[in-house]
């Protein structure tokens, strides 16, 4: 039986876990520190575990606290979603459609897709949350989100269907002072001795596997020295001389003065954006947003990038 009185205590736990500081957490919650400390102690007593270690160095999660945090965050998100849905219902609007998207998709194509959906269904209630590609599959399967815009290629599995929207050619991001930066094109095999900046595979399995497979096809396995959770931060780390990165060639304008993004001699294409949804979904709104995304892709709103000459 769920003890609903503990829901607030779990929310308080999630805030303290994010801040790792009781005074800052209390200020964020609009309460004083002693009651917050007391309610965390009540939660620890109810769960029969210690959630935080307190020392002169600050507050840290215990192993048990770290273990339950992902589930608590998911619960807090679902409760927020319930609250928003109730408010929308009171305003006479339909249910909330939740879209999970990677950062790149939030820039394009998601704004155009939402704009068209709102033009067709003015009272549509849409919530967008940031999510990485691996999380998107699980979130769809568990019903946490309704639609995902993420890097998904091939068989999505887990009862999820996916439709590619954008396929882009890879280029190589190099520090502007790198020995290869003045070249017009660069062969993959010339990167065999370089230090790579990559996504963790857990963040975007298909993107990661595509890059590794391309490198192995040209005689080497990339030496991954640093990991980054977004293409933008990959390029920023290249500018800090932390290594090189294989990134969509269409992002050349993000290089600035410190990073050169050059075409590869080989044509290496990867799916950078796909729209995905649960195969169990029979929701007309989900079907419509998938159709809009696909139509924009077919009409050029979501493009297949070409190498810049």
């Amino acid at each position: 039986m769920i003890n609903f009185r503990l829901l607030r205590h779990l929310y308080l736990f999630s805030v303290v876990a994010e801040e790792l500081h009781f005074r800052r957490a209390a200020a964020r919650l609009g309460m004083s520190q002693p009651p917050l400390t007391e309610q965390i102690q009540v939660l620890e007593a109810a769960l029969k575990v210690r959630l935080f270690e307190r020392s002169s160095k600050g507050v840290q999660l215990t192993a048990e606290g770290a273990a339950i945090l992902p589930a608590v965050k998911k619960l807090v998100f679902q409760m927020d979603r319930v609250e928003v849905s109730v408010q929308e219902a009171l305003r006479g609007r339909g249910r909330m459609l939740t879209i999970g998207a990677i950062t790149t998709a939030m820039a394009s194509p998601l704004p155009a897709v939402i704009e068209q959906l709102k033009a067709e269904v003015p009272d549509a209630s849409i919530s967008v949350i940031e999510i990485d590609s691996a999380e998107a599959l699980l979130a769809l399967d568990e019903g946490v989100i309704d639609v995902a815009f993420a890097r998904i290629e091939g068989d999505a599995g887990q009862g999820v269907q996916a439709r590619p929207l954008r396929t882009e050619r890879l280029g190589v991001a190099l520090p502007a002072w790198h020995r290869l930066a003045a070249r017009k094109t660069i062969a993959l095999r010339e990167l065999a001795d370089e230090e790579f900046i990559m996504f963790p595979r857990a963040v975007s399995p298909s993107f990661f596997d595509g890059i590794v497979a391309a490198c192995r096809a040209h005689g080497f396995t990339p030496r991954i020295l640093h990991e980054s959770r977004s293409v933008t931060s990959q390029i920023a780390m290249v500018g800090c001389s932390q290594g090189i990165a294989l990134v969509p060639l269409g992002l050349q304008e993000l290089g600035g003065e410190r990073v050169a993004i050059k075409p590869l001699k080989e044509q290496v294409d990867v799916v950078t954006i796909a729209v995905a949804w649960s195969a169990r979904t029979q929701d007309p709104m989900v079907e419509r947003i998938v159709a809009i995304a696909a139509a924009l892709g077919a009409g050029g709103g979501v493009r297949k990038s070409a190498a810049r000459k």
Side-chain angles (χ1 to χ4, degrees), residues 16-198:
V16 177
E18 288 177 4
E19 297 291 341
L20 290 178
H21 195 285
F22 273 84
R23 188 171 66 252
R24 286 199 302 267
R28 177 174 155 187
L29 292 162
M31 61 191 300
S32 60
Q33 184 176 334
L36 175 60
T37 300
E38 181 181 342
Q39 293 194 51
I40 293 298
Q41 291 170 344
V42 169
L43 179 62
E44 290 177 323
L47 297 178
K48 298 181 173 59
V49 295
R50 205 169 162 76
L51 299 173
F52 296 101
E53 293 290 352
R54 303 158 181 84
S55 69
S56 58
K57 295 181 179 180
V59 177
Q60 296 294 326
L61 283 165
T62 64
E64 293 81 3
I68 71 168
L69 182 58
V72 172
K73 283 185 172 180
K74 188 180 296 184
L75 176 62
V76 170
F77 171 76
Q78 292 283 31
M79 293 306 296
D80 286 343
R81 190 178 180 189
V82 168
E83 183 178 359
V84 171
S85 296
V86 169
Q87 294 302 317
E88 293 298 310
L90 290 173
R91 296 188 188 103
R93 302 173 73 176
R95 81 168 186 87
M96 175 70 67
L97 182 74
T98 303
I99 299 173
I102 59 174
T103 307
T104 307
M106 289 185 187
S108 174
L110 189 53
V113 173
I114 292 176
E115 182 181 2
Q116 184 166 329
L117 182 65
K118 295 285 279 186
E120 295 180 10
V121 189
D123 64 345
S125 299
I126 300 168
S127 172
V128 178
I129 62 170
E130 186 176 9
I131 200 166
D132 68 41
S133 298
E135 290 172 339
L137 296 176
L138 183 60
L140 284 168
D141 189 57
E142 294 184 347
V144 174
I145 61 176
D146 300 296
V147 184
F149 285 78
R151 295 181 188 90
I152 301 170
E153 190 170 8
D155 181 16
Q158 301 185 61
V160 173
Q161 292 183 306
R163 187 168 192 165
L165 299 177
R166 178 175 294 169
T167 301
E168 298 195 71
R169 183 174 176 179
L170 283 182
V172 55
L174 307 152
W177 48 89
H178 192 280
R179 60 187 176 84
L180 299 174
R183 299 271 292 277
K184 289 185 177 180
T185 60
I186 299 169
L188 258 176
R189 56 183 169 76
E190 295 180 274
L191 306 177
D193 296 325
E194 298 292 336
E195 297 178 354
F196 279 71
I197 303 163
M198 292 269 284

Side-chain angles (χ1 to χ4, degrees), residues 190-254:
E190 295 180 274
L191 306 177
D193 296 325
E194 298 292 336
E195 297 178 354
F196 279 71
I197 303 163
M198 292 269 284
F199 288 140
R201 188 181 184 280
V203 169
S204 185
S206 63
F207 195 74
F208 181 96
D209 292 346
I211 289 176
V212 171
C215 292
R216 286 177 176 168
H218 290 84
F220 71 99
T221 297
R223 295 191 301 128
I224 303 169
L225 266 292
H226 301 281
E227 292 185 333
S228 172
R229 297 183 70 86
S230 74
V231 174
T232 303
S233 58
Q234 277 184 297
I235 294 172
M237 290 182 73
V238 170
C240 293
S241 300
Q242 297 303 292
I244 67 155
L246 293 175
V247 301
L249 189 58
L251 299 179
Q252 284 174 312
E253 67 276 5
L254 294 183

